[in-house]
Amino acid sequence: MQRQLLYLFIFVFTLTIQAQKPKTPSSSEIYESIQKLNFLGSVLYVAAHPDDENTRLISYMSNHVKARTAYLSLTRGDGGQNLIGPEIRELLGVIRTQELLAARSVDGGEQMFTRANDFGYSKHPDETLEIWNKDQVLSDVVLAVRRFKPDVIINRFDHRTPGRSHGHHTTSAMLSLEAFDLANDKSAYTYQLKYTSLWQPKRLFYNTSWWRYGSREEFDKVDKSNMLSFDIGTYYPQKGLSNNELASLASSQHLCQGFGRMAQRGSQQEYIEFLKGEPLVNNKDVFEGIDTSWNRVKGGKAVGNILSTIETNFNFKNPSKHIPQLLEAFKLLQKIDNKHWKTQKTKELKSIIEMCAGLYLEASAETNWATPNETVNLNIEALNRSELAITLVSLSNNEDLNISKKIVLKNNIKYPFKEVIKIPSSAKPTTPYWLTNKGSLGMYKVDNKNLIGLPETPRTYTIDFNLLVNNVPITITKPIIQRYSKPDKGELYRPFEIIPEVSVKITEKVIILDSDNQHDIEVIVKAGRDNIEGSVKVSHPNDWSVYPAQQKINIANKGEEQTLIFTIIPPKNQSEGFISPIVNINDNNYSKELIEINYEHIPLQTVLLPNKSKIVRLDIKKKGENIAYIQGAGDVVPESLEQIGYNVRVLKPNEINAETLRRFDAVVLGIRAYNTVEDLKFKQKILFDFVAKGGNMIVQYNTSYGIKVNDLTPYKLKLSRDRVTDENAEVRFLNPGHPVLNFPNKITQKDFKGWTQERGLYFPNEWDDAYTPILSMNDKGESAKDGSLLVAQYGKGYYIYTGLSFFREFPAGVSGAYRLFANMLSIGKEELKSEAKLND
């Protein structure tokens, strides 16, 4: 079983990193597709974030019940942390979107979203809906129901428990409950009826569990007469896996959240509680009273009879034998009036015909990106691996390509073609559609109503393979991709993208200057086509200066970069603002950065975002120079400390020893280091000895779950889930005379203005008397939280534990966060310096 699981993981992993690769399914997979083709029922699962979804239940509905199943995540998870890299906010949302799609490719579900932006942790739905635009998010949920037309909706969270869970969680359930009725209300969001139609789901459920009641013992006592239960550990012989093993593989796609986990197997009960709609009689089948056969649609009985015969007598050795019957069903399906099922089942049926014939159809560009007005060479391949009579009539696309072929595709004979397409001047760059326009803290702005809810920007550049299959015309559309190889990787696939003729970036996202001395910055211009000529300037605040005012660029080759040096001159006094590069080519201005997100577990992502850097003329002082940084879950704190003049060296766990640490004034641990770095359990004594001998140690937040060390701190300290999510919450000084608030920078209330997303998270709520609590804060209506910053002297040095969100404030250029962190690094250094003078 372990070997089977490994093979499936490798198969799934390959599909994930090569998302554009043509499918080469096995007979068993074709058979499963036919089973799903014969089931006309659908389930919509609703929650708030990536990783909220219950992959066990989604997989069960998709693979056991055979229902069309989708997950509606209200957000893309933009507000979380990233355990695999430095991307946060919008770019993190792009990664998590792709991880959700990877999870669905495993469990068989589909993926949808709303325009809600994950602004961070929320403690109550009221707070959530103050930041989200309730009407817009609700309209998106209604739109998802109307488009997907689920018979059954299942909420992940309980709408009846506001304040007991993440505010986004409860809100997702509340909005789903409202949408259940509104989706069939012709007076609600009438503009949507131009794109879709009214729909009334049959039933609404809540995916309950023992944790809803506090313990398994309490759940055993609950009256379950209003609940359905499923054994989601069911075994799939054709897959060689159980449902819960498959679900584990799906949830393990959420790597940036650290969700890689061991497989589960064996019998396991899952419960859903009936909330609304048509009551159940036998409490066994969510589709009770719903005809999920082809008899559901007028004219569908004949289609169903054909497909049922195929399913009963499926030829696993030669699936192509069924193509004549499938084509007959295809022709009958085109006569059905029910637009929803006709569209969905036509898509499924065409895919099955393609799979049964072993068709390999591919359009590969010689490059993975092009610019408007550019011509692109394509390598096109058509291959029929069946004895069936298939003719490639023509190739076409939605632009200017329409090439007659009229070639009979003989069995297992490859037919390659070289064609050229022209990218029109009006072509829009490829980028996540929800990032095209500037939104708000709580909402993404999407002007094109047809895009709302889609997981990705639809691929514009495709090739239509217009075929005659046994004299039945069928068009199969394939996105243009780039297929290439690397000696150390083998065959690889990348999406084909449209990019601007130039992109531009300033390499430093935050520039902190502690004096009025000038500072050189690098502006990098990247050519999207050959022979780029133009000029570059840098916009800046009025009280700053930039020299020179303008520089010329001349780039000969596509993909080449030119680096320009500009000098920024800050004002005498403290000031902050933004600078942006602007490239002018033939009177067209370009100011966006081309960002590539490249991880092996998701397809390459190309994102265009406005490039701007925050500049801060900061009144800041510091003591000590050399900092050792031990990375945890991933942040940009080391680079940020370098911005204010520290020498920072990132240490690997095997480099942590007494001799190495002697070179440093302080050691800083990255966020969740004790949750993610196993070897730290062997290094604690060395780190504590470093502090005892006069060094400073700053530990940023960890979660209480999954701590890798026995002794987290030199003195007793207990982590909690206390957090302050209001970034504007009042900050009170518990010990205003403490050195960390006074040396070398005087910290005032002004230093806590302009914080982003939150004050901090996972504060300790119990600690030894050796610690001095420095700050007190709380969200509205809550008790004071005093554990955000704890300082203790340990030997000659200082140990500091903080849950303040420096990892969010530094990339945002929050000056007060830099000043406070400089004090934390500097604490005790003045006294040690005085002692050294006395010893001399």
Side-chain angles (χ1 to χ4, degrees), residues 19-25 350-365 378-386 390-396 405 407-410 412-417 461-469 473-483 491 493:
Q20 292 76 35
K21 184 175 182 177
K23 293 180 179 180
T24 54
K350 283 169 63 174
S351 178
I352 290 170
I353 292 170
E354 179 186 359
M355 290 188 287
C356 286
L359 277 171
Y360 187 96
L361 306 171
E362 180 182 272
S364 175
L378 298 181
N379 294 310
I380 295 177
E381 182 177 323
L383 176 63
N384 168 26
R385 288 174 285 199
S386 75
I390 299 179
T391 301
L392 176 60
V393 178
S394 64
L395 299 171
S396 59
K405 292 294 181 185
I407 296 172
V408 176
L409 303 179
K410 296 180 181 179
N412 211 31
I413 302 297
K414 182 173 73 172
Y415 293 86
F417 313 101
Y461 292 91
T462 58
I463 296 295
D464 291 335
F465 291 80
N466 302 306
L467 306 168
L468 276 178
V469 184
I474 290 181
T475 295
I476 297 176
T477 302
K478 296 293 180 181
I480 296 174
I481 48 84
Q482 185 196 23
R483 178 163 63 99
E491 186 177 68
Y493 285 76

Side-chain angles (χ1 to χ4, degrees), residues 50 77 80-85 87 92 95-97 99 252-260 599 601 633 672:
Q81 287 88 51
N82 184 358
L83 299 189
I84 61 174
E87 296 89 356
L92 179 59
I95 293 172
R96 290 189 172 181
T97 295
E99 290 182 341
S252 290
Q253 303 305 306
H254 296 297
L255 294 185
C256 75
Q257 302 189 68
F259 264 53
Y599 291 100
H601 69 298
R672 296 179 66 175

Side-chain angles (χ1 to χ4, degrees), residues 45-56 58 71-83 92-93 95-101 103-104 107 111-113 118 156-157 165-166 168-169 207 211 247 250-261 672 721 762:
Y45 198 86
V46 181
H49 310 106
D51 86 3
D52 283 348
E53 81 273 28
N54 184 343
T55 55
R56 299 182 303 274
I58 290 174
Y71 173 41
L72 173 61
S73 176
L74 267 59
T75 77
R76 296 176 186 266
D78 326 69
Q81 287 88 51
N82 184 358
L83 299 189
L92 179 59
I95 293 172
R96 290 189 172 181
T97 295
Q98 291 301 316
E99 290 182 341
L100 274 172
L101 289 170
R104 299 294 78 77
D107 60 33
Q111 187 60 52
M112 295 186 288
F113 295 94
D118 178 8
R156 182 69 175 114
F157 300 106
S165 178
H166 195 320
H168 297 179
H169 292 171
N207 186 190
W211 44 259
S251 62
S252 290
Q253 303 305 306
H254 296 297
L255 294 185
C256 75
Q257 302 189 68
F259 264 53
R261 62 189 178 95
R672 296 179 66 175
R721 297 186 63 83
Y762 300 113

